[in-house]
Amino acid sequence: MQKLMLTCLLLGTFCMASLAQVSLEGSWEGTITTGGLDSKESYKFELVLARSGKKGKLKGRSFVHISPDKVIEMDIGGRLYGDQSMYLEDIFFLPSEGKEVAPPYNRKYELIFNRSIWDSNLQGYWQEKRPDPFFPMRSRGRIFLKKKKASGA
């Protein structure tokens, strides 16, 4: 009887832990570095992700906060792979009404979804989309994101 109760308790604990894990879909926030892979210069970065109708397809929106009143907003699209890595790229610039902040270039992103009960995150790299991918002056940087907490009502 004790073994059965212990087994049920452990099974219930594992079920609750799996339900508490963070989903990839939703709002993420953190930083995006600029000025190279080793640069410490960064901007606030937000990413909103959703799965598209097709298997492995992702869509969403990115927000780079250059300053409190200057935000570059882009539609993004890409693919999630079986190893929880993803490829995303800027698709379309969404100009803010009354603001003249245009992106200097489009980006492509390579991120890893580190799923955990306690500290899920997205980390990876971005680089400028160019027709000549080996151009040595191509802009690139790093991305560090955590799942945005739901605001209490």
Side-chain angles (χ1 to χ4, degrees), residues 21-30 47 49 113 119-122 145-150:
Q21 289 184 349
V22 174
S23 167
L24 174 64
E25 296 180 281
S27 297
W28 297 82
E29 62 184 352
L47 187 63
L49 288 174
F113 177 36
D119 190 24
S120 293
N121 61 63
L122 291 173
L145 300 170
K146 292 197 180 277
K147 190 75 179 246
K148 195 172 187 178
K149 301 281 189 240

Side-chain angles (χ1 to χ4, degrees), residues 55-131:
K55 186 177 180 181
K57 296 289 183 178
L58 297 172
K59 63 181 180 176
R61 192 158 287 170
S62 68
F63 304 87
V64 179
H65 297 261
I66 305 300
S67 70
D69 62 332
K70 294 182 180 179
V71 179
I72 297 173
E73 185 175 347
M74 302 285 284
D75 271 340
I76 60 170
R79 183 166 180 79
L80 177 67
Y81 299 99
D83 63 355
Q84 299 301 298
S85 66
M86 67 187 80
Y87 171 82
L88 301 168
E89 63 181 84
D90 291 336
I91 297 173
F92 184 75
F93 170 59
L94 299 161
S96 299
E97 201 171 307
K99 310 272 187 199
E100 295 192 25
V101 180
Y105 42 75
N106 286 342
R107 294 181 174 94
K108 54 185 175 179
Y109 310 88
E110 295 175 15
L111 302 171
I112 297 282
F113 177 36
N114 298 307
R115 187 173 176 171
S116 167
I117 297 171
W118 298 279
D119 190 24
S120 293
N121 61 63
L122 291 173
Q123 290 188 26
Y125 302 91
W126 68 267
Q127 63 182 325
E128 176 183 0
K129 283 173 55 174
R130 296 185 56 91

